[in-house]
């Protein structure tokens, strides 16, 4: 029998060779003595089996790859948490900055002082900001005083002076549209519609270049600019919107007097109170929380150097600029809310990856069986064998850890919220990955030592421990029940400073439920294995071989089945909650708005081809009521354009939107107006006379006599929790114009297009409603990111399952190859053997898929109704089955089963039966 060899060709017998003994007469007559005890101290580690151990795996590529892959998955799972949290904070900050006006994502120094203080303040602040490392600032100054603008003396026939506010902004004139007749130079610019107010008499206009009075002080009129409400507001003026747009006030706020330079502004402001703002731009590209904190520190240093008290307001004071420090704090709050659920998810993935590392240690013991048995026979204990295993596998484990950490960085950059990470995240990820490496090596050595001891010390015919019969999974299910009860008694989502944070129990419950449920389902399924074994003889050859393999390795098959079911269940649960919460949030916003955007005006709009192209016109009666105590929301719509514009889900009425709207133009009893009624509390009857106006004397034209022809639980545009009646504008007929109403353009396109149409009809915008006005998406990012990370964990667990499957195939390969070799002698064809492999692995993974989908669906059904991100707004949480995930998991299951079967068949074909059947191999 040939001696077993290491990978480098060195025989293990050479490593444990007994030193030669001199043949002398003394030794021949000496009495027999006990053999010397093997060295177990430090000298043992200097022997060749341990000294050469780090280089031996290169002769065992299967072991090397198994440990390399297991360590990579472990490091990826461990390092992903700090990288993901850093990515989330960067994405949150970038999203928060993107939702604000451009001026918000800047650094700024603010001060409230008099107009005459500007020269001194500018002399102190600008150098302080550049000295702190900020970009050269641009000055903005807004006078708090409402001043008057009038024509120069001696003209005396002009009307009463109009109110104005004096403003200076660096570069402001580059962001207005000059009207004809510009004089240029120093002075002030006025809005176009105020030019007539300066006329001393009809037909006379104060032309640019003339001298006017602002607050009684003479100043040169440099030109007129187009009014801001006459076109979509430029982004430069976004934070000044409250100063230049009507926002529901008929006459609008006082127009701005734009000073061309700081000296002119100081001359006009004088002793008035002024809000000053020195703004340093910050490049938004690659913005991270660390960079945001750095800007905040520099801003604080600039305040100190300028001798001013720091101002960190989050309102629209001074145009709302310089909010980057405050936005950074909100991004950090979002990250801190994620830390609670993300860290347990990462811990769960790390523990599962550790199990794969332990399985790799067991695989090492199987592949090194001959050497382990021989060394044990020479007196080497389990501890030394465990150390040998660690020494052999430390290099691939280190390489796998580095590879896994790099993989985690690549995956977070590719799939995470943002590819931009804080510099400190890399050190944290490296430390966590290093800790995982140490834990993995310790577990690997422990498993290898135990397997090595069992290989030589376990008595033949010993009974299995009865502990394996204890249903330990019931403890997991009990913990799942307790967490679910606590979840129902509390809040799944808590709101901290308007930021939604997911309760840890929402993540802990599925992990406990799915793990416990998987093991319990598998335990119950193992009861069928004896039945399968008993009936195997009646099955075709391929199925017979598959059944015999499964029943011969029950423990391995059961563990593999549970490992494969877990990632599928977690994927279904996480993807279902992610898509459900996203679509619920979208439904709440669009149901409130009616469509993506609603632009409301305080007047009647005319339906034309342009409005039909962009969306639909809806008339909302603001004072509808059935009686003094029952307010009613009345919506008059155009069914044809509403059908293709408004947001709709069939569960709102149990029928299609087209079928529902068709009832508005059908017949109604007694000549009444057909109406769709949304009345959850049943306050309206089959017919109703709804008063559309306020006041005592209500004319017939101010009463809508409606008859219910259809009902719905919800309808687009529902904004208040009282009864809602929807009628067709053509059926409602003429209504007294004094009945208070608001016309709205609903559109799914850009708001600017609808605003332009309003301006074209010479109407003033009352308000523009979109999702940003209802709530900030950034405030709810923690929900989708939490379950997105849980889905990513499912992917890692899936890799663990694939690794476990490969180890299952490899550890069974010797017996499989031996049976294949003997079967070929008895007429077993290659195709039949391949079909048996497909049947074995397909049955295992198919049952795992069914168990995983079932558990994920049950968990999703239990939790989705509790995850209401905004209970004050309908609808309630939507249950969305993740069809793509279900199909993707099915395809992945089939592909893995087929590829693994082909791999096992290829290994069996390439193996030499003599090597496999040799005793002691």
């Amino acid at each position: 029998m040939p001696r077993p060899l290491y990978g480098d060709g060195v025989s293990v017998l050479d490593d444990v060779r007994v030193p030669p003994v001199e043949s002398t007469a003394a030794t021949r007559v000496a009495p027999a003595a006990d053999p010397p005890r093997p060295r177990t101290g430090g000298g043992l580690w200097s022997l060749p089996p341990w000294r050469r151990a780090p280089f031996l795996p290169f002769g065992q590529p299967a072991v090397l790859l198994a440990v390399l892959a297991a360590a990579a998955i472990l490091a990826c799972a461990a390092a992903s948490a700090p990288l993901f949290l850093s990515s989330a904070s960067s994405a949150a900050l970038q999203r928060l900055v993107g939702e604000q006006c451009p001026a918000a994502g800047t650094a700024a120094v603010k001060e409230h002082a008099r107009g005459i203080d500007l020269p001194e303040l500018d002399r102190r602040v600008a150098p302080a900001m550049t000295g702190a490392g900020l970009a050269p600032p641009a000055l903005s100054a807004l006078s708090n005083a409402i001043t008057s603008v009038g024509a120069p003396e001696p003209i005396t026939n002009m009307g009463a002076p109009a109110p104005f506010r004096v403003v200076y902004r660096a570069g402001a004139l580059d962001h207005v549209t000059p009207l004809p007749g510009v004089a240029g130079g120093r002075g002030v610019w006025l809005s176009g519609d105020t030019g007539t107010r300066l006329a001393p008499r009809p037909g006379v206009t104060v032309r640019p270049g003339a001298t006017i009075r602002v607050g009684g002080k003479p100043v040169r009129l440099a030109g007129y600019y187009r009014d801001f409400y006459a076109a979509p507001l430029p982004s430069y003026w976004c934070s000044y919107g409250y100063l230049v747009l009507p926002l529901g006030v008929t006459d609008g706020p006082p127009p701005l007097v734009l000073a061309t330079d700081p000296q002119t502004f100081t001359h006009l402001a004088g002793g008035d109170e002024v809000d000053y703002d020195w703004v340093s731009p910050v490049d938004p590209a690659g913005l991270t929380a660390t960079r945001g904190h750095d800007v905040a520190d520099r801003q604080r240093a600039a305040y100190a150097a300028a001798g001013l008290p720091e101002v960190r307001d989050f309102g629209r004071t001074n145009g709302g600029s310089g909010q980057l420090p405050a936005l950074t704090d909100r991004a950090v709050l979002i990250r801190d809310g994620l830390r609670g659920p993300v860290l347990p998810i990462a811990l769960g993935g790390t523990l599962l990856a550790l199990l794969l590392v332990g399985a790799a240690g067991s695989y090492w013991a199987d592949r090194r069986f001959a050497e382990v048995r021989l060394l044990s026979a020479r007196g080497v204990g389990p501890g030394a064998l465990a150390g040998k295993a660690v020494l052999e596998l430390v290099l691939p484990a280190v390489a796998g850890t580095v590879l896994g950490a790099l993989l985690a960085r690549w995956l977070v950059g590719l799939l995470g919220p943002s590819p931009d990470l804080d510099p400190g995240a890399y050190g944290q990820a490296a430390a966590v990955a290093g800790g995982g490496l140490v834990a993995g090596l310790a577990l690997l050595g422990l498993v290898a030592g135990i397997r090595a001891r069992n290989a030589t010390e376990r008595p033949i015919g010993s009974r299995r421990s009865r502990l394996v019969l204890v249903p330990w999974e019931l403890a997991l299910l009990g913990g799942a029940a307790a967490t679910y009860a606590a979840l129902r008694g509390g809040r799944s989502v808590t709101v901290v400073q308007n930021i939604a944070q997911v309760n840890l129990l929402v993540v802990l419950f599925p992990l406990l439920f799915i793990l416990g449920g998987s093991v319990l389902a598998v335990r119950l399924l193992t009861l069928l294995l004896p039945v399968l074994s008993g009936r195997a003889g009646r099955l075709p050859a391929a199925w017979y071989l598959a059944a015999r393999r499964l029943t011969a390795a029950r423990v391995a098959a059961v563990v593999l089945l549970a490992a494969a079911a877990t990632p599928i269940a977690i994927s279904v649960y996480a993807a279902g909650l992610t898509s459900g919460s996203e679509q619920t949030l979208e439904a709440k916003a669009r149901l409130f708005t009616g469509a993506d955007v609603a632009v409301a005006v305080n007047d009647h709009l005319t339906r034309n081809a342009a409005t039909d192209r962009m969306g639909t016109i809806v008339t909302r009666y603001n004072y509808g009521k059935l009686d003094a105590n029952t307010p009613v929301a009345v919506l008059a719509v155009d069914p044809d354009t509403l059908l293709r514009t408004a947001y709709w889900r069939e569960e709102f009425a149990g029928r299609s939107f087209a079928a529902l709207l068709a009832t508005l133009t059908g017949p109604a009893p007694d000549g009444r107006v057909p109406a769709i009624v949304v009345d959850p509390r049943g306050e309206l009857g089959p017919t109703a006379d709804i008063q559309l106006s306020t006041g005592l004397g209500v004319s017939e034209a101010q009463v809508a006599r409606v008859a219910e022809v259809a009902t719905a639980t919800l309808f687009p545009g529902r904004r208040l929790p009282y009864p809602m009646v929807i009628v067709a504008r053509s059926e409602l007929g003429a209504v007294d114009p004094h009945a208070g109403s608001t016309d709205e353009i609903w559109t799914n396109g850009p708001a600017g297009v609808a605003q332009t149409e309003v301006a074209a009809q010479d109407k003033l915008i009352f308000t523009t409603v979109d999702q940003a006005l209802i709530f900030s998406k950034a405030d709810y990012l923690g929900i989708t990111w939490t379950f997105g990370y849980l889905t990513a964990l499912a992917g890692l667990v899936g890799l663990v399952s694939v690794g476990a499957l490969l180890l299952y195939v490899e550890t069974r390969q010797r017996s499989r190859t031996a049976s294949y070799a003997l079967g070929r002698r008895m007429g077993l064809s290659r195709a039949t053997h391949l079909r048996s492999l497909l049947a074995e692995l397909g049955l295992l993974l198919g049952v795992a898929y069914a168990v995983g989908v079932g558990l994920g669906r049950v968990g999703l059904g239990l939790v989705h109704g509790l995850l209401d991100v905004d209970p004050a707004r309908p609808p309630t949480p939507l249950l969305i089955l993740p069809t793509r995930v279900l199909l993707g998991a099915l395809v992945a299951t089939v592909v893995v089963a087929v590829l693994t079967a082909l791999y096992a068949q290829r290994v069996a074909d390439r193996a030499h039966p003599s090597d496999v059947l040799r005793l002691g191999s």
Side-chain angles (χ1 to χ4, degrees):
M1 168 181 166
R3 297 181 295 178
L5 300 177
Y6 288 122
D8 57 358
V10 179
S11 170
V12 67
L13 299 180
D14 296 334
D15 284 347
V16 295
R17 186 183 301 116
V18 179
V21 181
E22 295 182 3
S23 178
T24 63
T27 59
R28 286 195 296 271
V29 300
D34 294 336
R37 300 185 63 175
R39 289 180 293 174
T40 58
L44 181 68
W45 300 94
S46 63
L47 294 178
W50 287 265
R51 189 175 66 250
R52 297 175 179 176
F55 307 101
L56 297 181
F58 299 100
Q60 297 279 345
V63 176
L64 187 147
L65 291 176
V67 175
L68 185 73
I73 295 174
L74 173 61
C76 185
S80 63
L83 297 178
F84 176 81
L85 291 173
S86 176
S87 173
S89 64
S90 299
L93 180 57
Q94 293 165 10
R95 186 76 65 88
L96 287 168
V97 170
E99 289 181 350
Q100 307 293 323
C101 294
T106 59
V109 171
K110 302 172 184 289
E111 176 62 352
H112 184 79
R114 297 175 303 168
I116 58 177
D117 297 329
L118 174 57
E120 173 61 20
L121 288 172
D122 195 47
R123 185 187 64 79
R124 292 159 48 193
V125 174
M129 296 183 72
T130 54
L134 297 172
L139 172 64
S140 295
L142 171 65
S143 174
N144 291 336
I146 303 299
T147 188
S148 61
V149 175
E153 299 293 340
I155 299 174
T156 59
N157 296 330
M158 68 178 186
F164 286 80
R165 295 187 73 171
V166 181
V167 172
Y168 168 75
R169 293 193 73 187
L173 298 181
D174 296 330
H175 300 278
V176 297
T177 302
L179 296 179
V182 175
R186 294 180 59 177
V188 296
W189 286 66
L190 300 178
S191 61
D193 68 350
T194 61
T196 57
R197 302 184 186 184
L198 301 181
R201 57 185 176 272
V204 178
T205 303
V206 176
R207 297 182 179 277
T211 300
I212 62 173
R213 289 186 175 275
V214 176
K217 299 176 181 178
V219 65
R220 181 173 179 269
L221 176 61
Y224 294 101
Y225 62 88
R226 186 178 65 183
D227 294 276
F228 291 106
Y229 60 77
L233 191 66
S235 60
Y236 176 87
W237 294 101
C238 171
S239 56
Y240 273 55
Y242 74 105
L243 290 173
V244 298
L245 295 180
L247 296 178
V249 181
T250 303
D251 293 331
L256 299 184
V257 174
L258 299 182
T260 59
D261 53 89
Q263 293 76 18
T264 299
F265 177 85
T266 302
H267 165 68
L268 297 177
D272 296 334
E273 297 293 324
V274 175
D275 289 326
Y276 292 109
D277 198 357
W278 288 264
V279 181
S280 291
V282 176
D283 186 4
L287 197 58
T288 64
T290 299
R291 190 164 159 224
H293 285 307
D294 178 67
V295 171
D297 292 339
R298 295 178 186 276
Q299 179 175 290
R300 189 176 299 110
Y303 270 104
L308 300 176
E310 185 178 8
V311 178
R312 295 184 65 183
D313 64 318
F314 194 68
R316 59 189 188 183
T317 304
N318 290 346
S321 57
Q323 302 303 326
L324 186 59
L327 294 174
T328 302
D329 292 342
R330 290 185 67 78
V332 171
L333 185 61
I334 293 175
R335 182 193 65 193
D336 293 343
L338 282 170
R339 184 177 284 114
V342 162
L343 293 183
I345 294 173
L347 179 61
T350 302
L351 293 177
L352 291 174
L354 275 174
L355 295 180
L356 182 61
V357 174
S362 176
Y363 179 51
W364 172 87
D366 289 333
R367 298 287 294 188
R368 311 285 287 171
F369 179 76
E371 291 86 343
V372 167
R373 185 173 58 182
L374 182 57
L375 290 172
S376 297
R378 291 287 182 174
V380 178
L385 291 174
K388 185 176 187 301
V390 172
L391 289 175
E392 286 193 24
L393 303 179
V394 64
L395 291 181
V398 171
T401 300
V402 174
L403 179 63
L406 295 176
L407 178 64
R409 173 63 185 94
W410 179 73
L411 288 176
V412 169
L414 179 66
L415 304 176
S418 171
D420 304 312
L421 303 182
D422 297 290
Y426 295 100
Q428 297 174 8
V432 175
L437 172 64
V438 174
L441 289 174
L443 179 62
L444 188 147
L446 178 64
V447 172
I450 293 175
R451 286 296 311 278
R453 184 194 65 184
N454 292 342
T456 56
E457 299 179 8
R458 184 173 181 177
I460 298 177
S462 60
R463 293 184 177 181
R464 295 171 61 192
S465 172
R466 294 184 178 180
L467 293 177
V468 298
L469 302 177
V470 178
W472 300 106
E473 63 273 14
L474 294 182
L476 294 175
L477 292 176
T483 56
Y484 183 70
L487 193 59
R488 288 190 63 89
R491 292 289 303 274
S492 300
V493 178
T494 56
V495 178
V496 180
Q497 298 182 22
N498 292 328
I499 293 177
Q501 298 181 349
V502 178
N503 191 329
L504 170 63
L505 300 180
V506 177
V507 173
L508 185 59
F509 163 72
L511 295 179
L512 295 175
F513 173 73
I514 289 172
L515 289 175
S518 298
V519 177
L520 179 61
V522 168
R523 185 187 290 271
L524 296 176
L525 288 173
T526 55
L527 300 178
L528 300 177
L529 289 179
V531 178
L532 180 63
S533 178
R535 298 185 179 182
R538 293 179 248 172
L539 299 174
W543 287 96
Y544 170 80
L545 292 175
R548 296 299 298 174
R549 293 195 200 102
L550 290 175
T551 55
R554 296 183 183 181
V555 175
V558 165
V559 171
L560 176 61
L561 201 157
T566 299
I568 296 173
I570 293 176
S571 296
V572 172
Y573 175 85
L577 285 184
T578 300
S579 57
S581 61
E582 288 178 343
Q583 293 195 34
T584 299
L585 202 62
E586 179 187 7
K588 289 176 181 291
R590 297 186 68 188
L591 190 69
F592 182 91
T593 305
D596 285 354
V597 177
V599 178
V601 299
N602 275 340
D603 205 341
H604 295 291
L605 294 170
T606 301
R607 179 181 177 181
N608 54 38
T611 61
D612 286 354
R613 281 195 303 270
M614 72 180 63
T616 186
I617 295 178
V618 173
T619 301
R620 186 184 298 274
Y621 291 93
N622 302 318
Y623 307 112
K625 58 184 177 180
L626 183 64
D627 53 47
N629 298 319
T630 309
V632 179
V634 179
L635 234 62
V637 302
D638 295 319
D640 54 339
T641 55
L642 187 75
L643 176 62
R644 62 174 183 265
T645 305
Y647 174 75
W648 183 256
R649 297 184 65 91
E650 287 198 9
E651 51 261 44
F652 293 168
R655 66 169 88 178
S656 68
F657 200 27
L660 183 68
L661 292 179
T663 62
L664 292 180
T665 55
D670 301 329
R672 289 179 173 269
V673 178
I676 300 171
V677 176
V678 180
D679 187 15
R681 295 192 295 266
E683 299 178 68
L684 302 180
T687 61
D689 296 339
I690 302 174
Q691 180 180 325
L692 301 179
S693 179
T694 58
L696 298 176
V698 179
S699 67
E700 189 68 19
Q702 294 176 335
V703 175
R705 305 185 185 281
V706 302
E708 177 186 306
V709 294
T711 61
T713 56
L714 294 170
F715 197 87
R718 181 169 174 79
R719 299 175 187 173
L720 296 170
Y722 45 71
M724 183 178 185
V725 173
I726 301 93
V727 297
R729 295 208 306 175
S730 59
E731 297 293 326
L732 183 61
V735 177
D736 190 326
H738 297 290
S741 63
T742 301
D743 273 12
E744 301 177 0
I745 294 182
W746 291 1
T747 179
N748 294 319
V753 176
Q755 292 169 346
T756 301
E757 176 59 25
V758 171
Q761 296 195 23
D762 199 23
K763 310 296 183 184
L764 291 179
I765 296 175
F766 176 74
T767 186
T768 299
V769 182
D770 57 10
Q771 181 168 291
L773 185 65
I774 303 170
F775 47 69
S776 169
K777 273 189 174 181
D779 293 345
Y780 296 92
L781 290 176
I783 298 174
T784 54
W785 287 348
T786 295
F787 296 114
Y789 186 73
L790 186 59
T791 304
L793 168 71
L796 285 177
V797 176
L799 292 178
V800 171
S801 302
V802 173
L805 178 64
L806 294 176
L807 290 178
Y808 167 80
V809 171
E810 286 290 342
T811 54
R812 299 284 299 162
Q813 194 63 41
R814 181 182 289 108
S815 62
R816 184 180 293 107
T817 303
S819 64
Y820 178 54
L822 295 175
R824 292 295 298 270
R825 301 297 186 273
M826 296 183 287
L828 178 67
S829 67
R830 183 178 182 277
T832 302
H833 185 259
L834 178 59
R835 286 198 300 271
S836 72
L837 293 174
L838 290 172
E840 175 189 0
L841 299 176
L843 184 61
L844 271 176
L845 296 182
V847 173
Y849 176 83
V851 171
V853 170
L855 290 174
R857 174 62 181 84
V858 172
L860 179 61
L862 291 174
V863 173
H864 92 280
L866 306 177
L867 199 67
D868 198 342
V869 296
D870 190 357
R873 292 190 178 92
T876 56
L878 303 174
L879 177 59
I880 307 296
L881 290 180
T883 307
R884 292 185 179 180
V885 172
L886 293 174
L887 293 177
L890 179 60
V891 171
T893 300
V894 173
V895 170
V896 169
V898 171
L899 293 180
T900 307
L902 291 175
Y903 168 75
Q905 179 65 43
R906 182 174 181 274
V907 172
D909 287 336
R910 292 168 59 91
H912 297 288
S914 58
D915 294 339
V916 176
L917 297 175
R918 182 182 296 119
L919 180 64
S921 63

